Amino acid sequence: MTKKRLGPAKVDRTFRPHHMLEWTMATCVVLGMLLLFIFVRPQQPESLASADAAQAMLDFRENMPSASTANRIGQVTVGAAAADVLEVLGASAEDAEAAVDALRRTGLVDRKRMRPGTALTAYFDESTLQDDTSRLIAVSIKPNARHTLLATRQADDSFFVSVLTARLVTSHRRAAGRIETTLPAALVGAGGTPAHAAALAALFPDDPALSTGGQKGERYDAVFEVAEDERGNFIENGDLVFAAFNGVTSHGSWYRYTPGDSGRTEFFGSNGVAAHPFLTRFPIGRVAINSGFGQRYHPLTGQLHLHTGIDFRAPAGTPIQAAGDGIVTFAGFSEGYGRHIRIRHKRGYETLYAHMSGFAGLAAGATVNSGDVLGYVGDTGSATGAHLHYEIRRNGRYVNPMTLELPSGRNLASEPEEFAAFLRQKAMIDTLRGGTVSDMLTASNFLPVTQPTSP
Ligand SMILES: [Zn+2]
């Protein structure tokens, strides 16, 4: 249990006797919240839902015997923002705004609007309940599974926010079986998320059907991290750490591992070899870069704009090679790019080669392999001199070819220390797959999975 205090813009640090009662009440509220966090144990992930959290807040009153407050529970809706809800519950508009502003300053709740359905509990001075507006003493809100915020009124009427953060412990879950409808449905049914399904599908890029849900009867086996609190209550799902697939067009198994030297997390086959890079950053070899990716002043117009690729300096006529296997989707001329070629690759990637002097006899629709010569460096289109303008897009968005994370193709088996560490991690994951997780397989559609073949 950690408690982080975030102060409001204005905090009265002087401690005056006549404010003693409010300080005591505020302290009791904070202590009560801490006790609540320690003693309230949700039984299921579902019980973390806001309605139950609100119910739990009721119990918390018992932990603050000296505070004469009354609490009222409301819920943020599409039509009613948090401040509106507080007003409906009885707070003055001024107090409601001040409390919500303080909560927003934590950065843990949406700056514009809190998520509809978020429950909040308002604590009022009991003696003011019959007044037109009740005196707001504190507001508690649970914007997500990890955090509980408590805004308490200070001596100067500003609100001070305490953030209670559950300390998380990483545990693992396994989902394995045969696809009944789709892979995401199968993983979600076993406690995973659609993101886990997407991460699994990305490990089998040659299987286009898998990225759209896979086919009935195909076998999958996934282990993913789960964040729990210190008593084993589910808080949130984490990363995929193992994925095996045995389907119509592809099969294999991948273990997530972070080599100690590079610190770069990647998936490795059971033999310790990472996926091979399917694109290169250097379609004309390691030549000098004239201009990198990002915002720059255009050399011709002088305007600041996004430079959507990398400019490689090379003499006219230098051969340009395909950055990876793919299909030519365009080979022609346009004003800016000049003579250029676009190639569609797997995993949603596309590359573009601009300002070419000529093509190597390729047209749209042609299949190319990594390293095939596409054409030659030139200065057609908007170019100040001979260079290759090289772009990579992922799912239609420009990415920086130099910082793009591509599979390394690294072979851990040739590095004894790393390989030993990798095998320890693999053994841990295989143990998780072997037993201790049978509760994940109770649904009738989950059948035991045979040991998948290596990639
Ligand atoms: Zn360029």
Side-chain angles (χ1 to χ4, degrees), residues 1-2 37 146 165-169 228-230 235:
M1 190 70 54
T2 55
F37 232 60
R146 285 194 67 177
T165 306
R167 187 183 298 149
L168 302 185
V169 176
E228 296 176 340
D229 67 18
E230 287 159 304
I235 299 290

Side-chain angles (χ1 to χ4, degrees), residues 292-312:
F293 179 91
Q295 296 290 338
R296 70 162 186 187
Y297 290 96
H298 193 275
L300 296 179
T301 65
Q303 301 278 85
L304 185 68
H305 76 139
L306 174 71
H307 185 227
T308 54
I310 300 281
D311 291 345
F312 291 106

Side-chain angles (χ1 to χ4, degrees), residues 291-292 296 307-312 355 382 387-391:
S291 179
R296 70 162 186 187
H307 185 227
T308 54
I310 300 281
D311 291 345
F312 291 106
H355 312 311
S382 309
H387 73 278
L388 168 67
H389 170 94
Y390 174 53
E391 279 180 10

Side-chain angles (χ1 to χ4, degrees), residues 139-286:
V139 179
S140 75
I141 189 165
K142 196 167 171 53
N144 56 54
R146 285 194 67 177
H147 297 105
T148 303
L149 308 183
L150 182 69
T152 46
R153 180 193 282 275
Q154 304 298 291
D156 66 352
D157 289 342
S158 67
F159 283 83
F160 187 95
V161 180
S162 304
V163 179
L164 305 183
T165 306
R167 187 183 298 149
L168 302 185
V169 176
T170 300
S171 169
H172 294 87
R173 281 190 186 176
R174 181 198 187 204
R178 283 176 192 270
I179 294 173
E180 274 289 308
T181 52
T182 65
L183 180 67
L187 292 189
V188 168
T193 64
H196 291 141
L200 190 156
L203 292 166
F204 301 93
D206 295 328
D207 194 333
L210 193 54
S211 62
T212 57
Q215 300 176 57
K216 186 177 164 135
E218 290 183 316
R219 286 174 169 174
Y220 64 90
D221 188 352
V223 177
F224 48 91
E225 288 176 340
V226 174
E228 296 176 340
D229 67 18
E230 287 159 304
R231 293 172 310 282
N233 297 314
F234 174 89
I235 299 290
E236 64 193 6
N237 276 313
D239 290 329
L240 187 74
V241 296
F242 170 80
F245 187 70
N246 196 347
V248 175
T249 56
S250 58
H251 59 89
S253 54
W254 295 99
Y255 295 79
R256 196 171 74 129
Y257 176 69
T258 308
D261 53 0
S262 68
R264 202 191 132 186
T265 302
E266 235 185 312
F267 280 86
F268 293 84
S270 52
N271 56 0
V273 180
H276 287 282
F278 54 96
L279 282 183
T280 174
R281 309 179 200 281
F282 303 101
I284 50 173
R286 304 225 172 195

